[in-house]
Amino acid sequence: MAVKITLAKDPAQTDAVLALRHKVFCEEEGVMDPVEDGRILDRFDAYSTTRNLVALNENEVIGSLRITLDSEIGIPADEYYDFRRFLPDGAITMNCGMYCVTKPFRGARIALSLILMATYYAVTHKVTHVVAPINPAISKLLSRVGFEVLDDEQLDPHMGLRFIPVLLDMKNINDFFYTFAENNRLYNFIESYECIFYNNDEYVVRAGEVGDSAFVIIEGEIEVRKAGTDTVLATMGQGEVFGELALLTDDVRTADVVARSDLRIMSLPKQAFLDHLMKNPDHAMWMLKSIGKRMKNMLVHPV
Ligand code: CMP
């Protein structure tokens, strides 16, 4: 089943985040007392500096992470842990917290992707340091991305949650896609803040569907198959772009695309993709070359 990581876009999704916190913290983990309206929130949820990243299974919110940019009213952690003593003068700071994923979906993949998406949000908002009072269960994972542990496990007296304080200097970020996007000036893909996971053998695209996004592969492999058959037209891996033809031709998808391993892709909506090509002639050229190569391949090795 595909899982999508994206920013909560409407009140219904934000409400589902507040209800998910209640389900995870009060019902599954029992670390907080249940409240009558079944929602967990604090004043930072009302500020425009806060956004929620969500993990969606179909359309159900099964995971979330709150991100808050620093401002004159501060960040949530200010109330219970002094991260500021670790920050250099002039640091531009973002706070990640309220991490929760419902039991059946827990594991490294969703946790890491929520955190990575938070770092993509940070980079596009010129943040220099990300602080996170984070669930001890995932603090080790964060070191893979470049976060450093600042202290022993602590208790947030306000929420009653245990956490480990970790800090990411954005100069130390360790992520293939971030480096790839930076080297290839693919910021538009980062700014879509939308990544999707598939399991091996799942369909990513079906021929004949209306296409509204192009995709870049962050991790894993895909197979492009002739519509409705097992005939393989191409395989693609990390860093390669697919799903562009429907957008360029204003027509439906030309082929089936199937995951050939666990797959993580970033999606870019049609208009942002077309704008990206208009603004980056070298990328438009790159796209033309890749389409040219595919055509040549089909003419030389017809299937
Ligand atoms: P789109 O038609 O939007 O969706 C299916 C995608 O498969 C298509 O964009 C291309 O990115 C890719 N594709 C289709 N045909 C080929 C081919 N012959 N070789 C490589 N990739 C292809």
Side-chain angles (χ1 to χ4, degrees), residues 205 211 213 224 233-234 236 241-247 251-257 294-295 297-298:
V205 156
S213 297
V224 179
L233 299 172
M236 295 183 204
V241 172
F242 66 95
E244 77 295 351
L245 285 183
L247 311 189
D251 206 341
V252 293
R253 299 290 190 196
T254 54
D256 295 327
V257 176
R294 286 175 199 172
M295 259 186 88
N297 197 28
M298 286 203 321

PDB file of all heavy atoms in Angstrom, residues 205 211 213 224 233-234 236 241-247 251-257 294-295 297-298, ligand 1:
ATOM      1  N   VAL A 205       2.152   4.000 -11.660  1.00  0.00           N
ATOM      2  CA  VAL A 205       1.407   4.692 -12.714  1.00  0.00           C
ATOM      3  C   VAL A 205       0.761   3.621 -13.581  1.00  0.00           C
ATOM      4  O   VAL A 205       1.370   2.581 -13.828  1.00  0.00           O
ATOM      5  CB  VAL A 205       2.416   5.531 -13.566  1.00  0.00           C
ATOM      6  CG1 VAL A 205       1.907   5.796 -14.957  1.00  0.00           C
ATOM      7  CG2 VAL A 205       2.785   6.827 -12.863  1.00  0.00           C
ATOM      8  N   GLY A 211      -2.467  12.042 -15.945  1.00  0.00           N
ATOM      9  CA  GLY A 211      -1.259  12.254 -15.123  1.00  0.00           C
ATOM     10  C   GLY A 211      -1.195  13.685 -14.622  1.00  0.00           C
ATOM     11  O   GLY A 211      -1.347  14.619 -15.402  1.00  0.00           O
ATOM     12  N   SER A 213       1.386  14.574 -12.196  1.00  0.00           N
ATOM     13  CA  SER A 213       2.701  14.813 -11.581  1.00  0.00           C
ATOM     14  C   SER A 213       3.794  14.066 -12.334  1.00  0.00           C
ATOM     15  O   SER A 213       3.531  13.029 -12.946  1.00  0.00           O
ATOM     16  CB  SER A 213       2.738  14.268 -10.148  1.00  0.00           C
ATOM     17  OG  SER A 213       1.825  14.921  -9.337  1.00  0.00           O
ATOM     18  N   VAL A 224       9.384   0.195 -16.379  1.00  0.00           N
ATOM     19  CA  VAL A 224       8.355   0.750 -17.259  1.00  0.00           C
ATOM     20  C   VAL A 224       7.894  -0.396 -18.148  1.00  0.00           C
ATOM     21  O   VAL A 224       8.717  -1.055 -18.775  1.00  0.00           O
ATOM     22  CB  VAL A 224       8.923   1.900 -18.124  1.00  0.00           C
ATOM     23  CG1 VAL A 224       7.839   2.457 -19.047  1.00  0.00           C
ATOM     24  CG2 VAL A 224       9.515   2.993 -17.253  1.00  0.00           C
ATOM     25  N   LEU A 233       9.913  -2.024 -20.980  1.00  0.00           N
ATOM     26  CA  LEU A 233      10.455  -1.023 -21.906  1.00  0.00           C
ATOM     27  C   LEU A 233      11.734  -0.416 -21.350  1.00  0.00           C
ATOM     28  O   LEU A 233      12.622  -0.024 -22.093  1.00  0.00           O
ATOM     29  CB  LEU A 233       9.431   0.098 -22.131  1.00  0.00           C
ATOM     30  CG  LEU A 233       8.083  -0.303 -22.741  1.00  0.00           C
ATOM     31  CD1 LEU A 233       7.105   0.857 -22.712  1.00  0.00           C
ATOM     32  CD2 LEU A 233       8.288  -0.780 -24.178  1.00  0.00           C
ATOM     33  N   ALA A 234      11.816  -0.299 -20.028  1.00  0.00           N
ATOM     34  CA  ALA A 234      12.996   0.315 -19.414  1.00  0.00           C
ATOM     35  C   ALA A 234      12.990   0.048 -17.924  1.00  0.00           C
ATOM     36  O   ALA A 234      11.929  -0.223 -17.341  1.00  0.00           O
ATOM     37  CB  ALA A 234      12.973   1.827 -19.658  1.00  0.00           C
ATOM     38  N   MET A 236      14.580   1.978 -14.315  1.00  0.00           N
ATOM     39  CA  MET A 236      15.171   3.241 -13.855  1.00  0.00           C
ATOM     40  C   MET A 236      15.478   3.153 -12.377  1.00  0.00           C
ATOM     41  O   MET A 236      14.835   2.394 -11.644  1.00  0.00           O
ATOM     42  CB  MET A 236      14.218   4.416 -14.074  1.00  0.00           C
ATOM     43  CG  MET A 236      13.924   4.702 -15.522  1.00  0.00           C
ATOM     44  SD  MET A 236      12.861   6.156 -15.667  1.00  0.00           S
ATOM     45  CE  MET A 236      12.133   5.824 -17.255  1.00  0.00           C
ATOM     46  N   VAL A 241      14.112  10.514 -13.667  1.00  0.00           N
ATOM     47  CA  VAL A 241      12.787  11.144 -13.684  1.00  0.00           C
ATOM     48  C   VAL A 241      11.859  10.345 -14.606  1.00  0.00           C
ATOM     49  O   VAL A 241      12.272   9.922 -15.684  1.00  0.00           O
ATOM     50  CB  VAL A 241      12.901  12.608 -14.194  1.00  0.00           C
ATOM     51  CG1 VAL A 241      11.524  13.226 -14.400  1.00  0.00           C
ATOM     52  CG2 VAL A 241      13.719  13.447 -13.225  1.00  0.00           C
ATOM     53  N   PHE A 242      10.632  10.129 -14.197  1.00  0.00           N
ATOM     54  CA  PHE A 242       9.637   9.485 -15.064  1.00  0.00           C
ATOM     55  C   PHE A 242       8.282  10.155 -14.847  1.00  0.00           C
ATOM     56  O   PHE A 242       8.114  10.965 -13.926  1.00  0.00           O
ATOM     57  CB  PHE A 242       9.567   7.963 -14.818  1.00  0.00           C
ATOM     58  CG  PHE A 242       9.056   7.595 -13.455  1.00  0.00           C
ATOM     59  CD1 PHE A 242       7.712   7.296 -13.244  1.00  0.00           C
ATOM     60  CD2 PHE A 242       9.919   7.547 -12.375  1.00  0.00           C
ATOM     61  CE1 PHE A 242       7.236   6.957 -11.982  1.00  0.00           C
ATOM     62  CE2 PHE A 242       9.455   7.212 -11.106  1.00  0.00           C
ATOM     63  CZ  PHE A 242       8.111   6.927 -10.909  1.00  0.00           C
ATOM     64  N   GLY A 243       7.330   9.788 -15.732  1.00  0.00           N
ATOM     65  CA  GLY A 243       5.986  10.368 -15.608  1.00  0.00           C
ATOM     66  C   GLY A 243       5.901  11.761 -16.206  1.00  0.00           C
ATOM     67  O   GLY A 243       4.941  12.491 -15.967  1.00  0.00           O
ATOM     68  N   GLU A 244       6.902  12.111 -17.023  1.00  0.00           N
ATOM     69  CA  GLU A 244       6.943  13.454 -17.610  1.00  0.00           C
ATOM     70  C   GLU A 244       6.114  13.539 -18.896  1.00  0.00           C
ATOM     71  O   GLU A 244       5.646  14.604 -19.266  1.00  0.00           O
ATOM     72  CB  GLU A 244       8.407  13.865 -17.880  1.00  0.00           C
ATOM     73  CG  GLU A 244       9.098  13.259 -19.096  1.00  0.00           C
ATOM     74  CD  GLU A 244       9.291  11.738 -19.020  1.00  0.00           C
ATOM     75  OE1 GLU A 244       9.056  11.156 -17.956  1.00  0.00           O
ATOM     76  OE2 GLU A 244       9.646  11.154 -20.054  1.00  0.00           O
ATOM     77  N   LEU A 245       5.923  12.374 -19.589  1.00  0.00           N
ATOM     78  CA  LEU A 245       5.310  12.435 -20.926  1.00  0.00           C
ATOM     79  C   LEU A 245       3.874  12.935 -20.884  1.00  0.00           C
ATOM     80  O   LEU A 245       3.475  13.772 -21.698  1.00  0.00           O
ATOM     81  CB  LEU A 245       5.362  11.060 -21.600  1.00  0.00           C
ATOM     82  CG  LEU A 245       6.740  10.627 -22.128  1.00  0.00           C
ATOM     83  CD1 LEU A 245       6.629   9.282 -22.828  1.00  0.00           C
ATOM     84  CD2 LEU A 245       7.310  11.671 -23.086  1.00  0.00           C
ATOM     85  N   ALA A 246       3.096  12.441 -19.914  1.00  0.00           N
ATOM     86  CA  ALA A 246       1.690  12.866 -19.816  1.00  0.00           C
ATOM     87  C   ALA A 246       1.620  14.379 -19.596  1.00  0.00           C
ATOM     88  O   ALA A 246       0.705  15.043 -20.098  1.00  0.00           O
ATOM     89  CB  ALA A 246       0.994  12.133 -18.676  1.00  0.00           C
ATOM     90  N   LEU A 247       2.608  14.930 -18.889  1.00  0.00           N
ATOM     91  CA  LEU A 247       2.575  16.373 -18.596  1.00  0.00           C
ATOM     92  C   LEU A 247       2.977  17.178 -19.826  1.00  0.00           C
ATOM     93  O   LEU A 247       2.394  18.221 -20.118  1.00  0.00           O
ATOM     94  CB  LEU A 247       3.520  16.708 -17.435  1.00  0.00           C
ATOM     95  CG  LEU A 247       3.403  15.847 -16.169  1.00  0.00           C
ATOM     96  CD1 LEU A 247       4.235  16.439 -15.050  1.00  0.00           C
ATOM     97  CD2 LEU A 247       1.956  15.715 -15.719  1.00  0.00           C
ATOM     98  N   ASP A 251      -1.624  14.645 -22.183  1.00  0.00           N
ATOM     99  CA  ASP A 251      -2.391  13.443 -22.522  1.00  0.00           C
ATOM    100  C   ASP A 251      -2.269  12.441 -21.385  1.00  0.00           C
ATOM    101  O   ASP A 251      -1.627  12.721 -20.377  1.00  0.00           O
ATOM    102  CB  ASP A 251      -1.828  12.866 -23.837  1.00  0.00           C
ATOM    103  CG  ASP A 251      -2.877  12.063 -24.592  1.00  0.00           C
ATOM    104  OD1 ASP A 251      -3.876  11.655 -23.969  1.00  0.00           O
ATOM    105  OD2 ASP A 251      -2.671  11.830 -25.800  1.00  0.00           O
ATOM    106  N   VAL A 252      -2.851  11.257 -21.569  1.00  0.00           N
ATOM    107  CA  VAL A 252      -2.829  10.255 -20.489  1.00  0.00           C
ATOM    108  C   VAL A 252      -1.466   9.554 -20.433  1.00  0.00           C
ATOM    109  O   VAL A 252      -0.641   9.691 -21.333  1.00  0.00           O
ATOM    110  CB  VAL A 252      -3.954   9.206 -20.669  1.00  0.00           C
ATOM    111  CG1 VAL A 252      -5.306   9.858 -20.495  1.00  0.00           C
ATOM    112  CG2 VAL A 252      -3.835   8.501 -22.023  1.00  0.00           C
ATOM    113  N   ARG A 253      -1.237   8.765 -19.374  1.00  0.00           N
ATOM    114  CA  ARG A 253       0.018   8.020 -19.193  1.00  0.00           C
ATOM    115  C   ARG A 253       0.216   7.026 -20.342  1.00  0.00           C
ATOM    116  O   ARG A 253      -0.730   6.342 -20.755  1.00  0.00           O
ATOM    117  CB  ARG A 253      -0.029   7.239 -17.869  1.00  0.00           C
ATOM    118  CG  ARG A 253      -0.195   8.119 -16.626  1.00  0.00           C
ATOM    119  CD  ARG A 253       1.024   8.918 -16.336  1.00  0.00           C
ATOM    120  NE  ARG A 253       0.981   9.571 -15.038  1.00  0.00           N
ATOM    121  CZ  ARG A 253       1.798  10.560 -14.688  1.00  0.00           C
ATOM    122  NH1 ARG A 253       2.702  11.033 -15.543  1.00  0.00           N
ATOM    123  NH2 ARG A 253       1.723  11.092 -13.495  1.00  0.00           N
ATOM    124  N   THR A 254       1.465   6.924 -20.810  1.00  0.00           N
ATOM    125  CA  THR A 254       1.754   6.095 -21.987  1.00  0.00           C
ATOM    126  C   THR A 254       2.082   4.655 -21.644  1.00  0.00           C
ATOM    127  O   THR A 254       2.098   3.797 -22.518  1.00  0.00           O
ATOM    128  CB  THR A 254       2.983   6.666 -22.720  1.00  0.00           C
ATOM    129  OG1 THR A 254       4.045   6.784 -21.763  1.00  0.00           O
ATOM    130  CG2 THR A 254       2.686   7.997 -23.350  1.00  0.00           C
ATOM    131  N   ALA A 255       2.431   4.386 -20.387  1.00  0.00           N
ATOM    132  CA  ALA A 255       2.904   3.041 -20.028  1.00  0.00           C
ATOM    133  C   ALA A 255       2.566   2.774 -18.565  1.00  0.00           C
ATOM    134  O   ALA A 255       2.197   3.692 -17.833  1.00  0.00           O
ATOM    135  CB  ALA A 255       4.418   2.963 -20.255  1.00  0.00           C
ATOM    136  N   ASP A 256       2.716   1.501 -18.158  1.00  0.00           N
ATOM    137  CA  ASP A 256       2.589   1.171 -16.730  1.00  0.00           C
ATOM    138  C   ASP A 256       3.968   1.360 -16.090  1.00  0.00           C
ATOM    139  O   ASP A 256       4.984   1.086 -16.725  1.00  0.00           O
ATOM    140  CB  ASP A 256       2.188  -0.304 -16.545  1.00  0.00           C
ATOM    141  CG  ASP A 256       0.803  -0.609 -17.089  1.00  0.00           C
ATOM    142  OD1 ASP A 256      -0.064   0.292 -17.030  1.00  0.00           O
ATOM    143  OD2 ASP A 256       0.589  -1.737 -17.583  1.00  0.00           O
ATOM    144  N   VAL A 257       3.974   1.797 -14.856  1.00  0.00           N
ATOM    145  CA  VAL A 257       5.229   1.887 -14.108  1.00  0.00           C
ATOM    146  C   VAL A 257       5.028   1.118 -12.806  1.00  0.00           C
ATOM    147  O   VAL A 257       4.061   1.364 -12.074  1.00  0.00           O
ATOM    148  CB  VAL A 257       5.619   3.352 -13.820  1.00  0.00           C
ATOM    149  CG1 VAL A 257       6.872   3.411 -12.955  1.00  0.00           C
ATOM    150  CG2 VAL A 257       5.825   4.123 -15.121  1.00  0.00           C
ATOM    151  N   ARG A 294      15.245   7.481 -25.216  1.00  0.00           N
ATOM    152  CA  ARG A 294      14.196   6.449 -25.130  1.00  0.00           C
ATOM    153  C   ARG A 294      13.652   6.119 -26.528  1.00  0.00           C
ATOM    154  O   ARG A 294      13.417   4.965 -26.853  1.00  0.00           O
ATOM    155  CB  ARG A 294      13.045   6.925 -24.248  1.00  0.00           C
ATOM    156  CG  ARG A 294      13.414   6.913 -22.801  1.00  0.00           C
ATOM    157  CD  ARG A 294      12.311   7.502 -21.967  1.00  0.00           C
ATOM    158  NE  ARG A 294      12.829   7.888 -20.671  1.00  0.00           N
ATOM    159  CZ  ARG A 294      12.156   8.571 -19.774  1.00  0.00           C
ATOM    160  NH1 ARG A 294      10.937   8.970 -20.032  1.00  0.00           N
ATOM    161  NH2 ARG A 294      12.689   8.881 -18.625  1.00  0.00           N
ATOM    162  N   MET A 295      13.466   7.176 -27.340  1.00  0.00           N
ATOM    163  CA  MET A 295      12.960   6.956 -28.702  1.00  0.00           C
ATOM    164  C   MET A 295      13.933   6.115 -29.498  1.00  0.00           C
ATOM    165  O   MET A 295      13.555   5.167 -30.180  1.00  0.00           O
ATOM    166  CB  MET A 295      12.781   8.302 -29.410  1.00  0.00           C
ATOM    167  CG  MET A 295      11.364   8.769 -29.434  1.00  0.00           C
ATOM    168  SD  MET A 295      11.216  10.242 -30.413  1.00  0.00           S
ATOM    169  CE  MET A 295      10.963   9.538 -32.017  1.00  0.00           C
ATOM    170  N   ASN A 297      16.180   4.089 -28.398  1.00  0.00           N
ATOM    171  CA  ASN A 297      16.177   2.740 -27.851  1.00  0.00           C
ATOM    172  C   ASN A 297      15.015   1.926 -28.423  1.00  0.00           C
ATOM    173  O   ASN A 297      15.165   0.759 -28.778  1.00  0.00           O
ATOM    174  CB  ASN A 297      16.077   2.849 -26.324  1.00  0.00           C
ATOM    175  CG  ASN A 297      16.465   1.556 -25.657  1.00  0.00           C
ATOM    176  OD1 ASN A 297      17.260   0.797 -26.207  1.00  0.00           O
ATOM    177  ND2 ASN A 297      15.884   1.292 -24.512  1.00  0.00           N
ATOM    178  N   MET A 298      13.848   2.573 -28.537  1.00  0.00           N
ATOM    179  CA  MET A 298      12.677   1.853 -29.038  1.00  0.00           C
ATOM    180  C   MET A 298      12.818   1.539 -30.522  1.00  0.00           C
ATOM    181  O   MET A 298      12.342   0.520 -30.995  1.00  0.00           O
ATOM    182  CB  MET A 298      11.419   2.683 -28.788  1.00  0.00           C
ATOM    183  CG  MET A 298      11.054   2.650 -27.321  1.00  0.00           C
ATOM    184  SD  MET A 298       9.344   3.007 -26.997  1.00  0.00           S
ATOM    185  CE  MET A 298       8.952   4.267 -28.109  1.00  0.00           C
TER     186      MET A 298
HETATM  187  P1  CMP B   1       4.020   9.064 -18.663  1.00  0.00           P
HETATM  188  O1  CMP B   1       3.478   8.706 -19.979  1.00  0.00           O
HETATM  189  O2  CMP B   1       3.567  10.291 -18.000  1.00  0.00           O
HETATM  190  O3  CMP B   1       3.817   7.809 -17.658  1.00  0.00           O
HETATM  191  C1  CMP B   1       4.496   6.598 -17.969  1.00  0.00           C
HETATM  192  C2  CMP B   1       5.984   6.920 -18.030  1.00  0.00           C
HETATM  193  O4  CMP B   1       6.825   5.843 -18.392  1.00  0.00           O
HETATM  194  C3  CMP B   1       6.257   7.945 -19.131  1.00  0.00           C
HETATM  195  O5  CMP B   1       5.651   9.158 -18.784  1.00  0.00           O
HETATM  196  C4  CMP B   1       7.754   7.893 -19.203  1.00  0.00           C
HETATM  197  O6  CMP B   1       8.361   8.595 -18.135  1.00  0.00           O
HETATM  198  C5  CMP B   1       7.983   6.399 -19.019  1.00  0.00           C
HETATM  199  N1  CMP B   1       8.125   5.737 -20.336  1.00  0.00           N
HETATM  200  C6  CMP B   1       7.169   5.498 -21.242  1.00  0.00           C
HETATM  201  N2  CMP B   1       7.672   4.856 -22.311  1.00  0.00           N
HETATM  202  C7  CMP B   1       8.964   4.673 -22.084  1.00  0.00           C
HETATM  203  C8  CMP B   1      10.026   4.048 -22.809  1.00  0.00           C
HETATM  204  N3  CMP B   1       9.844   3.482 -23.994  1.00  0.00           N
HETATM  205  N4  CMP B   1      11.262   4.064 -22.259  1.00  0.00           N
HETATM  206  C9  CMP B   1      11.457   4.630 -21.044  1.00  0.00           C
HETATM  207  N5  CMP B   1      10.486   5.212 -20.325  1.00  0.00           N
HETATM  208  C10 CMP B   1       9.265   5.240 -20.829  1.00  0.00           C
END
